[in-house]
Amino acid sequence: MQAYTKHQSIAALMRRSNVDTDQIIPKQFLKKVERSGFGQHLFHDWRFNEDGSDNKDFELNKAAFKGAKILVVGDNFGCGSSREHAPWAIEDYGFNTIISTSYADIFYNNCFKNSILPIVATKDQLDRLMDEIDANEGVSFTIDLENQQIITPAGNGFKFEVDAFRKDNLSKGLDDIGLTLEQSASIDKYEEKHKQNFPWLWT
Amino acid sequence: MKKTMYEKIWDSHFVVEAAGQAPLLYVDRHLMHEVTSPQAFEGLRNANRKVRNPHSILATMDHCVPTKNRNLPIADPIAKKQIETMADNCKENDLNLYDMKNPNNGVIHIVVPEHGFVPPGMIVVCGDSHTATHGAFGALAFGIGTSEVEHVMATQTLPQKKSKTMLIQIDGELSKYASAKDIALAITGKIGTAGGTGHVIEYAGEAISKLSMEGRMTLCNMAIEAGARAGLVAPDQKTYDYLKGREFVPSGENWDKALAYWKTLPSDHGAKYDTTIILKAADIEPQVTWGTSPEQVTGVNNIIPAPEDFDDKIKSQACKDALNYMGLKAHTKITDIAVDLIFIGSCTNGRIEDFRIAADITKGTKVADNVTAIAVPGSYHVKKQAEDEGLDKIFTEAGWEWREPGCSMCLAMNGDELTAGQRSASTSNRNFEGRQGKGGRTHLVSPAMAAAAASAGHFVDIRNL
């Protein structure tokens, strides 16, 4: 997994709440057995017209947001289906940071497995970031994971919270499975006891 | 200390908490389908890792499978490859797979309880958000992403953060024809799709005790629609009676030991929850969603709200967008909404009880002109049971299509879908834009409400039938 480092990047704005994973990556693209190539389908039904051309009214098609790595969105982002194809599409499109007031639990976990930092802001903090982007489309924010800080040109930045273990794994690009396997002795020991209590689970 | 059921299951599955890492929980059962697993198997192969406990996995094919002409090859080459990949992966890793032709095949969350694969008190995961279904048995069951599917295959554990607990207590008795589905929708309407975020919900109260196991599965299935990763119902005599004798349930001495453990699971009297919500069952009417989020829902006798009815700016805008997408006018009566297609099925409402109640309402009626009605059993076992009871005849004589099992129109991956502008009454779980086909308009309802809409051509209050 790629390590997450401090960066300055364009912040794209979507003033929408309850964006579900069906919108992030519609079901017709879930049939692939590969993990790559989903970025071209991100927000497909909103992003493209019937004839395949760009929908000019869709936020991310604005010229000012091209190349953005930061996505600023309304409440409860990523609700619905557990599909990890959603963060795969977001990451493949070029985003590595999302800022919202809240995320659906499964989506939130999935982000950290894909080098994406989902930042939780208060309603007030988010409103100010949104207003700053509205007033200055194409503005770049700095995301400093080490110091857990967002810096913006208009001074609307803030400190954010993130679990220590998630921060550590993200900033070092660590493989979760590798980390867990370091605990194999504890897992073996637990399993042995569990098997004695519930032998029928092993039949 | 007094503990909730969630805390008891957490404590009994806690493996270790290494410095600087999240606690590891042991996973007992791992469910799989073709859509969210291929990349996990690929990851294992690339890292030269093995499936730690093949016996802990039960796999099926459900999302992409056709519900008619099952004998023909799958027409969509990408779906066909996904199905073949699932079969190859299960063979390579020696996993129990109920493939498309297996008499046990069906939707994963319908099949698993049929075989007693998820016992109370265990931890169950699946790369599927509706894994919450199995909380009906008092198991901690939740959806995970594909990276986590790989993690569980390799380690039999998951790093987890402790959730908050929410008690939703439904007092009193449900009125006639109000169902578990209506409870689930009413809860989502009340607390919103983010209301349960970060929580595990425990459902309790008289109305929940009186639900059948099928009803409890429907209710827990939709915990995710209220934002919660998992729903739980305390196991009781109904749970034990349902489980006894099923394939993966212990017998003899092991049954007695398991039962003794299961009886320790219900939350201790006086255990503390982070959030408590109390509803009166009698207030829960048959529900109909009118928008593009499960929280945009109301009782069948109500009218569709207008954007200005919401004080919250974002909710108001969401209402405006939803009405625009749904092609509906504010303040229209729900019962004046005409439908084009009826779908009964899915992991929410594809069980025998759902077809029984729908058949009861369908008997002697005819599907309205210009309406298509399809019934898709959740599994071959449900299909056979329904046919043994003659329910299929009731549907087909009324003009319904009686299909093979699968996820079908719940997420429209298998070719069963709405065309743009078509409107459905659907017993599935999500009414998101495009969920049942691009431009399709979904109204979520109970099986009884769906069956009544089929013959009327519009929504009707089933309590007046």
Side-chain angles (χ1 to χ4, degrees):
Chain A
M1 207 175 78
Q2 209 180 331
Y4 188 101
T5 51
K6 180 174 170 177
H7 64 98
Q8 186 180 30
S9 153
I10 295 171
L13 172 62
M14 286 176 69
R15 274 193 191 268
R16 301 177 191 238
S17 57
N18 295 320
V19 173
D20 57 77
T21 53
D22 273 78
Q23 304 316 316
I24 298 172
I25 183 84
K27 76 239 172 218
Q28 63 267 35
F29 306 112
L30 306 186
K31 296 173 190 168
K32 283 172 52 163
V33 296
E34 297 83 18
R35 206 175 174 126
S36 56
F38 290 99
Q40 58 187 313
H41 307 304
L42 178 71
F43 294 117
H44 179 276
D45 290 1
W46 286 344
R47 189 170 144 201
F48 301 110
N49 296 316
E50 283 298 329
D51 63 2
S53 60
D54 283 359
N55 171 11
K56 299 277 180 250
D57 295 333
F58 180 58
E59 299 91 315
L60 297 190
N61 287 333
K62 288 183 179 179
F65 293 155
K66 289 293 167 208
K69 282 186 188 292
I70 304 166
L71 177 63
V72 179
V73 288
D75 311 337
N76 195 28
F77 188 71
C79 61
S81 157
S82 63
R83 60 188 70 167
E84 195 166 321
H85 310 66
W88 293 340
I90 288 170
E91 191 269 343
D92 189 44
Y93 182 88
F95 291 115
N96 71 355
T97 309
I98 309 172
I99 308 175
S100 175
T101 55
S102 61
Y103 304 87
D105 292 334
I106 304 175
F107 177 83
Y108 186 76
N109 281 336
N110 283 342
C111 283
F112 287 98
K113 313 283 182 192
N114 292 284
S115 312
I116 300 168
L117 172 63
I119 296 175
V120 180
T122 63
K123 177 95 180 68
D124 188 45
Q125 287 167 340
L126 187 72
D127 283 346
R128 276 186 280 160
L129 291 185
M130 287 182 162
D131 290 346
E132 181 170 345
I133 298 171
D134 263 343
N136 183 16
E137 281 188 356
V139 63
S140 285
F141 297 164
T142 299
I143 311 293
D144 180 353
L145 175 58
E146 192 190 346
N147 294 305
Q148 298 178 214
Q149 197 160 14
I150 299 176
I151 303 154
T152 82
N156 292 312
F158 53 89
K159 294 275 264 184
F160 57 87
E161 293 298 320
V162 57
D163 291 320
F165 69 93
R166 285 183 163 132
K167 175 181 170 180
D168 196 47
N169 296 358
L170 193 63
S171 58
K172 292 178 184 154
L174 294 176
D175 163 25
D176 274 6
I177 299 179
L179 283 171
T180 296
L181 287 172
E182 288 175 16
Q183 305 303 319
S184 287
S186 299
I187 299 171
D188 291 347
K189 200 173 144 201
Y190 175 90
E191 196 168 66
E192 202 43 52
K193 190 190 74 188
H194 201 55
K195 208 168 173 173
Q196 281 171 17
N197 291 337
F198 306 101
W200 46 272
L201 282 173
W202 269 260
T203 54
Chain B
M1 201 189 95
K2 295 185 164 77
K3 287 189 200 172
T4 62
M5 186 161 39
Y6 170 71
E7 288 157 343
K8 291 181 189 185
I9 300 174
W10 172 284
D11 288 351
S12 68
H13 285 78
F14 174 86
V15 176
V16 68
E17 183 171 358
Q21 294 298 319
L24 280 185
L25 291 192
Y26 190 81
V27 174
D28 301 288
R29 298 295 206 201
H30 190 178
L31 321 176
M32 268 184 204
H33 60 66
E34 73 275 22
V35 177
T36 55
S37 62
Q39 295 87 351
F41 284 106
E42 193 193 350
L44 275 192
R45 268 192 296 273
N46 291 344
N48 204 18
R49 287 169 179 148
K50 294 240 167 300
V51 177
R52 184 182 166 104
N53 288 345
H55 76 270
S56 70
I57 297 174
L58 185 65
T60 187
M61 295 166 171
D62 53 11
H63 283 56
C64 290
V65 303
T67 55
K68 48 186 180 186
N69 301 323
R70 216 43 177 247
N71 52 330
L72 300 178
I74 295 179
D76 177 349
I78 310 173
K80 184 166 177 276
K81 188 179 175 198
Q82 194 170 58
I83 290 285
E84 288 165 357
T85 303
M86 182 85 212
D88 291 347
N89 282 329
C90 289
K91 197 170 171 205
E92 185 185 324
N93 293 286
D94 197 21
L95 308 181
N96 193 4
L97 168 69
Y98 297 155
D99 70 18
M100 272 171 60
K101 300 212 158 46
N102 190 301
N104 293 334
N105 178 259
V107 179
I108 187 77
H109 305 308
I110 304 277
V111 164
V112 160
E114 287 175 345
H115 297 273
F117 193 66
V118 171
M122 297 302 160
I123 292 190
V124 189
V125 298
C126 176
D128 190 294
S129 62
H130 291 111
T131 308
T133 307
H134 311 288
F137 292 88
L140 180 59
F142 54 91
I144 57 177
T146 298
S147 296
E148 292 175 309
V149 169
E150 185 182 336
H151 197 121
V152 174
M153 283 200 284
T155 72
Q156 210 61 37
T157 64
L158 267 184
Q160 286 292 298
K161 226 185 124 174
K162 212 166 197 173
S163 298
K164 291 185 203 156
T165 51
M166 178 184 287
L167 175 69
I168 298 186
Q169 186 177 311
I170 317 279
D171 289 335
E173 275 188 70
L174 278 178
S175 64
K176 195 188 173 196
Y177 285 129
S179 67
K181 179 65 165 283
D182 301 302
I183 301 177
L185 286 171
I187 289 170
T188 308
K190 184 173 171 69
I191 71 175
T193 55
T197 301
H199 288 80
V200 164
I201 298 175
E202 182 177 335
Y203 302 98
E206 186 187 349
I208 307 301
S209 307
K210 288 201 168 152
L211 286 178
S212 63
M213 287 312 294
E214 284 83 357
R216 293 177 191 180
M217 287 186 239
T218 299
L219 179 64
C220 290
N221 173 278
M222 287 189 68
I224 186 75
E225 268 57 67
R229 271 186 103 179
L232 285 167
V233 174
D236 59 11
Q237 194 56 44
K238 254 182 216 170
T239 319
Y240 314 140
D241 290 346
Y242 179 98
L243 287 170
K244 194 155 196 177
R246 291 184 194 258
E247 186 181 353
F248 292 97
V249 175
S251 56
E253 190 191 336
N254 279 333
W255 166 268
D256 296 336
K257 277 165 73 177
L259 187 63
Y261 168 61
W262 297 342
K263 287 185 173 173
T264 68
L265 292 169
S267 296
D268 296 330
H269 190 70
K272 294 262 184 300
Y273 296 84
D274 294 295
T275 312
T276 299
I277 289 168
I278 299 174
L279 298 175
K280 273 196 206 134
D283 293 343
I284 297 174
E285 290 189 279
Q287 303 281 303
V288 181
T289 64
W290 49 265
T292 54
S293 165
E295 70 182 42
Q296 292 172 323
V297 65
T298 191
V300 63
N301 281 326
N302 294 341
I303 55 170
I304 297 171
E308 53 272 23
D309 296 341
F310 296 89
D311 294 333
D312 181 288
K313 261 203 312 210
I314 290 174
K315 279 198 178 0
S316 175
Q317 183 62 40
C319 173
K320 196 174 160 195
D321 293 344
L323 294 184
N324 184 37
Y325 179 85
M326 294 294 288
L328 292 169
K329 285 202 173 65
H331 297 166
T332 304
K333 284 169 72 178
I334 293 287
T335 48
D336 285 344
I337 301 172
V339 292
D340 306 304
L341 189 137
I342 313 293
F343 169 65
I344 298 186
S346 84
C347 61
T348 308
N349 282 126
R351 298 184 180 79
I352 188 65
E353 180 181 279
D354 301 316
F355 293 100
R356 281 182 189 140
I357 190 159
D360 186 39
I361 286 177
T362 300
K363 198 169 194 167
T365 66
K366 286 284 173 209
V367 172
D369 291 345
N370 305 319
V371 170
T372 302
I374 66 171
V376 182
S379 71
Y380 274 122
H381 285 283
V382 171
K383 183 169 187 258
K384 185 174 181 306
Q385 174 81 36
E387 288 169 358
D388 288 349
E389 294 177 20
L391 306 184
D392 59 321
K393 294 280 182 305
I394 294 175
F395 287 113
T396 51
E397 279 165 17
W400 286 66
E401 294 177 35
W402 181 247
R403 300 278 189 96
E404 306 291 314
C407 297
S408 182
M409 284 202 61
C410 177
L411 82 169
M413 271 187 81
N414 72 335
D416 299 342
E417 61 182 349
L418 295 177
T419 54
Q422 262 195 328
R423 188 180 300 286
S424 75
S426 175
T427 67
S428 53
N429 41 58
R430 290 186 176 135
N431 53 343
F432 299 148
E433 283 185 30
R435 172 84 177 179
Q436 294 191 298
K438 192 172 179 185
R441 295 157 171 171
T442 304
H443 296 272
L444 302 175
V445 289
S446 70
M449 284 288 291
S455 56
H458 56 85
F459 293 111
V460 288
D461 187 346
I462 47 177
R463 294 167 300 182
N464 300 335
L465 291 179

